[in-house]
Amino acid sequence: MNILFVGGSNLVIRDGLSTLIPQCLSASGVEVQNVFNIAVGATGSLFGLENLSMFGKKNIDLVFVEYGINDLPLHSNDKRLWEYSFSALLNKVSEKYPNAMLVTILLGRRRERFWEKQAKMHERMSAITQRYGGLVVDIDSLLKRKSQSIAALDDFYLDDSHYQSPYVTRYISETVVSEFLVAKELGFFNDKKVLLDNDLPRLGLSSVSGEIKCYENSRFMQKTTVLKKNEPVVLSVPGVPVGISFISEFDSCSLLIEAGGKKKIINTKRKKASLGRFSFILKQTPLYSFFESELGFSDMTEVKLTAVDTNSAGWDASIMQNTYGMEPAEPESNSKIFISHISSCFVKKAS
């Protein structure tokens, strides 16, 4: 069996689900041949769609998707774009791997102030997963029920978004595997007939021409285009721009995006409080509200990109999109932006 993991940091952390789930499957008698993990921390399903679109492996038997934590900001700020992103991701799974079994794992945030919005998003995630013939394993609800009798909910968590490992992550993994195996043995995945949603907007991935810089670690190699401060670059993308993926360094610039009469600034510089042992991280920022504009879905849209800091002529704090872990770039002579792709939505024209 070839397994694919798509999601956020709970599928990346040491002694986490992407390690323990295959172990539990093997211990249950499943022959695990290959495990592919394209999860990236602090990214949502829109990035998962981008990443899956570029992933080249063809023979996948089982796909695990986990975005129940990282998708919450997108769901809260732009429900239309979130619904498209998660639906299109599962649509892409079914399109690329029509015979693969799909399991959506619902994880949740520790703090109670998120629970109401999270529950609504999880409800939609479940409905969308079922539409694509997938199995939903609701770990979030399970741990909340257990917290009433075993321990406080906080005791299950390492921090606000990650679970204690390995004992909680092992319990989660064993639960996911048990639910999957029971469903499989009872024929849940048999004769899965999924009608692909051809009415969904399609994903366009556009790169920027210019100076190239590559980043590589033990998990990925990412080619980026370097945008120098205050030197605009213009390109055309199909449909509506909806996300920017980039490498974030400690002194990265902010990015001014202009498209279809709209302007937005996103920050690609990591906050000092978020500086850790990694010299760079791969990120993607969805563009809230661009999807709801009047831009034509089937037309090409001109997009102007400018690397800026707080002293640049194009700086306007009123159009800055707040992004967790990022902050505006202060004036620094060597600041740049390292863009991977622009994601856009377009309607595929009938042939």
Side-chain angles (χ1 to χ4, degrees):
M1 177 178 287
N2 293 325
I3 300 171
L4 174 63
F5 288 96
V6 187
S9 56
N10 277 285
L11 298 183
V12 178
I13 60 173
R14 184 178 180 181
D15 295 323
L17 308 187
S18 62
T19 299
L20 298 176
I21 285 176
Q23 290 179 6
C24 293
L25 283 167
S26 295
S28 300
V30 176
E31 183 180 351
V32 177
Q33 296 170 307
N34 297 290
V35 177
F36 303 99
N37 188 356
I38 60 172
V40 175
T43 60
S45 56
L46 181 61
F47 180 77
L49 175 59
E50 174 184 321
N51 222 7
L52 184 62
S53 298
M54 296 188 295
F55 182 63
K57 299 296 180 182
K58 295 181 179 179
N59 299 318
I60 300 294
D61 304 298
L62 174 58
V63 181
F64 291 100
V65 173
E66 188 286 300
Y67 283 115
I69 292 175
N70 290 355
D71 264 4
L72 193 56
L74 178 56
H75 180 269
S76 299
N77 288 284
D78 193 334
K79 285 185 175 60
R80 187 182 182 203
L81 179 55
W82 174 81
E83 181 106 9
Y84 156 71
S85 302
F86 190 71
S87 298
L89 171 62
L90 300 195
N91 200 69
K92 178 62 72 175
V93 170
S94 297
E95 183 179 69
K96 290 189 74 168
Y97 312 116
N99 297 318
M101 296 169 285
L102 167 66
V103 179
T104 293
I105 305 171
L106 298 183
L107 304 181
R109 299 195 180 199
R110 176 177 62 87
R111 294 189 182 183
E112 189 171 355
R113 65 187 178 91
F114 295 112
W115 292 1
E116 183 177 353
K117 290 182 179 179
Q118 188 171 263
K120 292 178 180 178
M121 185 183 74
H122 284 178
E123 183 178 353
R124 289 300 302 143
M125 292 176 75
S126 297
I128 294 168
T129 300
Q130 290 163 10
R131 195 166 76 216
Y132 288 98
L135 176 70
V136 177
V137 182
D138 189 350
I139 296 296
D140 181 49
S141 296
L142 175 63
L143 291 182
K144 283 186 171 70
R145 290 195 300 271
K146 283 199 169 293
S147 70
Q148 299 174 12
S149 58
I150 293 180
L153 186 66
D154 287 0
D155 295 334
F156 293 109
Y157 282 85
L158 178 65
D159 53 36
D160 283 344
S161 303
H162 304 98
Y163 298 90
Q164 293 280 3
S165 63
Y167 65 95
V168 177
T169 52
R170 179 166 292 279
Y171 170 74
I172 293 172
S173 300
E174 290 174 347
T175 301
V176 169
V177 169
S178 295
E179 292 288 325
F180 163 70
L181 290 177
V182 167
K184 182 175 181 294
E185 291 303 314
L186 293 178
F188 178 84
F189 299 103
N190 291 354
D191 301 320
K192 185 180 75 167
K193 293 182 175 61
V194 177
L195 296 176
L196 296 178
D197 190 348
N198 293 318
D199 292 330
L200 274 174
R202 312 300 280 181
L203 179 74
L205 290 178
S206 303
S207 56
V208 183
S209 61
E211 177 189 344
I212 300 298
K213 184 172 181 179
C214 291
Y215 292 83
E216 188 171 4
N217 60 21
S218 60
R219 297 196 65 249
F220 67 85
M221 191 281 288
Q222 197 76 5
K223 184 173 73 172
T224 69
T225 302
V226 180
L227 268 62
K228 297 179 181 179
K229 187 169 60 177
N230 300 324
E231 296 184 11
V233 173
V234 178
L235 71 157
S236 293
V237 304
V240 182
V242 293
I244 304 280
S245 59
F246 54 89
I247 291 289
S248 175
E249 290 192 349
F250 298 145
D251 60 350
S252 295
C253 266
S254 299
L255 176 62
L256 170 62
I257 306 159
E258 301 173 78
K262 290 198 169 191
K263 294 183 179 182
K264 186 183 292 289
I265 290 176
I266 63 170
N267 299 315
T268 74
K269 176 186 176 181
R270 296 161 66 186
K271 288 183 179 178
K272 291 180 181 179
S274 71
L275 300 185
R277 58 192 177 93
F278 302 108
S279 59
F280 66 87
I281 55 174
L282 175 59
K283 295 281 292 180
Q284 189 208 52
T285 297
L287 303 177
Y288 303 154
S289 80
F290 271 34
F291 192 56
E292 298 181 88
S293 72
E294 297 303 319
L295 300 177
F297 269 171
S298 60
D299 299 325
M300 301 296 289
T301 301
E302 186 175 272
V303 179
K304 181 179 179 181
L305 306 173
T306 311
V308 297
D309 61 31
T310 53
N311 272 3
S312 296
W315 181 263
D316 181 353
S318 70
I319 60 172
M320 185 178 69
Q321 178 176 301
N322 290 325
T323 305
Y324 178 78
M326 298 288 154
E327 64 183 3
E330 298 296 331
E332 297 173 12
S333 59
N334 293 324
S335 292
K336 299 175 182 178
I337 291 178
F338 309 93
I339 290 185
S340 298
H341 293 93
I342 299 176
S343 295
S344 59
C345 295
F346 67 96
V347 173
K348 188 176 181 180
K349 293 182 179 179
S351 56

